[in-house]
């Protein structure tokens, strides 16, 4: 399940919904990751663009990878502005085995940072500035600049 | 005719152009001064599927997307 | 913070309290682990004994290790009976950096399984049977059987 | 006099005995048939502090705890 919200995530409601929906399905472990906007560099907020069609394909490949291990993957992300100290990203993995949950949480979050088609902007004095210095080219970038 | 769209911070309106291959698209985009600097950092999707090769035939109505460096979370 | 509950943990309330207390303290990442009782081997429940003085010392050394990295560690565990599909263990790490959160969650949970002084029993037909086959000798075990 | 307590599943009431060292405690416990099989699997705490060595002097009133294999979570 992939959820997109306009603005901050309702984190406590999401965690509650996810736990209540899954705790009785015989998973032994739930792990979660929540990303919250840090106050730094004078920002008021971060702002996000998402390209949903490619995000859905990327998420679906992870969902299947987890399902093959008997585990369930859920994530939520914000688009638009998210103020300092609010949260823009939450995910959960439910798994029969704790090792799968712990290892896949790490692998999923790192691949999310590197390959999910989401763009981040600092919001400073109401202006939206691309966070180029914190961004990572997706796998396969540079194809159209290749000389052959 | 194919359409090229520029996602996220590139901030450019879509282009419509004649191209039979991704290589022809690349040649044309290298001539656009507001796009050329992005090319080395962008991933490419054809009809929302990421591609790893320029040897992809294009057909009328195909949609090519340029995805610049990402930072979710 | 180390919390001990008689019976099942109120998971959604704990996650809500922890998130609400910490989300505005400029941690960028929250990770959590929740352990839930699986229905297997015909059990009605698991039951737990805790030796609190040694658990507190063990937890305090982890709390300090995390604090040295700027991170906050919280955990809760049940004592007594916890029925199938209820939860007996929950922990959270709040950290400025996601790598610290993800790596320390894994390391903390694994050390918890190996060295936290908690004993597990299967509850079957109302009888409490030590889960010897799933238990691990703590670091340094066997001291009193050593020949010299 | 020191007290030896048996945690978790060992299920035995505390023993009180004369011992000046952990080594003397070990010698005594090896003679208890309901405790001896646990010794190779138990960690040991003196006054709630885990110890790694038998060279620990004991004093009157010390409390020794045997901690059998654990499984939290």
């Amino acid at each position: 399940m992939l959820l997109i919200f306009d603005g901050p995530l309702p984190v406590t409601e999401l965690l509650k919904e996810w736990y209540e929906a899954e705790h009785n399905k015989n998973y032994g472990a739930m792990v979660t990751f929540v990303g919250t906007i840090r106050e730094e560099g004078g920002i008021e907020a971060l702002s996000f663009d998402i390209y949903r069609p490619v995000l859905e394909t990327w998420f679906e490949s992870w969902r299947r990878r987890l399902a093959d291990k008997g585990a369930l993957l859920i994530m939520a992300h914000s688009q638009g502005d998210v103020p300092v100290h609010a949260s823009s990203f939450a995910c959960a993995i439910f798994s029969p085995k704790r090792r799968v949950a712990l290892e896949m949480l790490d692998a999923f979050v790192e691949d999310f940072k590197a390959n999910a088609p989401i763009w981040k902007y600092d919001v400073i004095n109401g202006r939206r500035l691309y966070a180029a210095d914190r961004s990572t080219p997706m796998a396969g970038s540079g194809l159209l600049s290749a000389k052959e | 005719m194919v359409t090229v769209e520029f996602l996220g911070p590139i901030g450019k309106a879509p282009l419509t152009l004649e191209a039979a291959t991704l290589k022809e698209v690349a040649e044309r985009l290298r001539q656009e001064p507001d796009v050329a600097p992005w090319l080395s950092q962008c991933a490419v999707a054809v009809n929302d599927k990421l591609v790893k090769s320029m040897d992809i035939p294009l057909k009328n109505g195909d949609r090519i997307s340029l995805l610049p460096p990402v930072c979710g979370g």
Side-chain angles (χ1 to χ4, degrees), chain A, chain B:
Chain A
M1 187 169 56
L2 166 62
L3 304 166
I4 307 291
F5 286 79
D6 289 317
L9 298 183
V11 171
T12 59
E13 289 80 352
L14 290 174
L15 296 179
K16 178 181 159 80
E17 279 170 28
W18 297 346
Y19 178 79
E20 290 185 349
E22 306 301 335
H23 77 93
N24 61 353
K25 296 194 181 155
N26 226 28
Y27 296 115
M30 172 178 80
V31 290
T32 68
F33 182 97
V34 175
T36 300
I37 311 301
R38 301 191 67 206
E39 185 170 12
E40 59 187 347
I43 63 166
E44 286 128 49
L46 293 177
S47 190
F48 298 91
D49 289 341
I50 293 180
Y51 188 57
R52 189 151 183 163
V54 170
L55 180 64
E56 282 174 353
T57 305
W58 172 86
F59 180 79
E60 178 59 18
S61 76
W62 270 100
R63 194 197 61 72
R64 272 202 227 106
R65 183 171 165 189
L66 274 283
D68 287 347
K69 298 172 191 285
L72 175 71
L73 175 66
I74 304 173
M75 80 166 258
H77 202 285
S78 300
Q79 60 188 5
D81 290 7
V82 182
V84 158
H85 298 159
S87 300
S88 53
F89 176 48
C91 66
I93 294 172
F94 292 83
S95 166
K97 294 182 190 289
R98 80 171 182 282
R99 285 306 316 150
V100 167
L102 290 166
E103 287 168 16
M104 290 296 104
L105 183 69
D106 192 323
F108 174 73
V109 170
E110 291 302 320
D111 192 52
F112 168 81
K113 299 296 285 189
N115 286 305
I118 301 178
W119 296 280
K120 180 180 283 179
Y121 305 82
D122 292 332
V123 180
I124 300 178
N125 297 327
R127 290 189 58 210
R128 204 169 183 251
L129 306 161
Y130 176 50
D133 56 329
R134 278 154 286 155
S135 297
T136 308
M138 295 168 68
S141 285
L143 181 66
L144 297 189
S145 69
K147 306 268 186 291
E148 69 245 72
Chain B
M1 301 287 274
V2 299
T3 303
V4 184
E5 56 181 28
F6 303 94
L7 299 177
I10 307 178
K12 182 180 167 69
L15 288 179
T16 301
L17 47 89
E18 286 292 349
T21 64
L22 265 185
K23 203 175 154 194
E24 287 176 36
V25 172
E27 278 159 14
R28 167 66 188 278
L29 294 180
R30 281 180 207 141
Q31 294 162 29
E32 299 277 333
D34 49 353
V35 173
W38 287 99
L39 294 181
S40 67
Q41 309 172 62
C42 280
V44 181
V46 175
N47 300 327
D48 295 331
K49 191 168 166 359
L50 290 170
V51 295
K52 306 286 178 204
S53 160
M54 292 236 262
D55 300 331
I56 294 193
L58 298 176
K59 59 183 190 307
N60 196 39
D62 277 353
R63 203 164 35 80
I64 294 126
S65 308
L66 267 66
L67 296 91
V70 297
C71 186

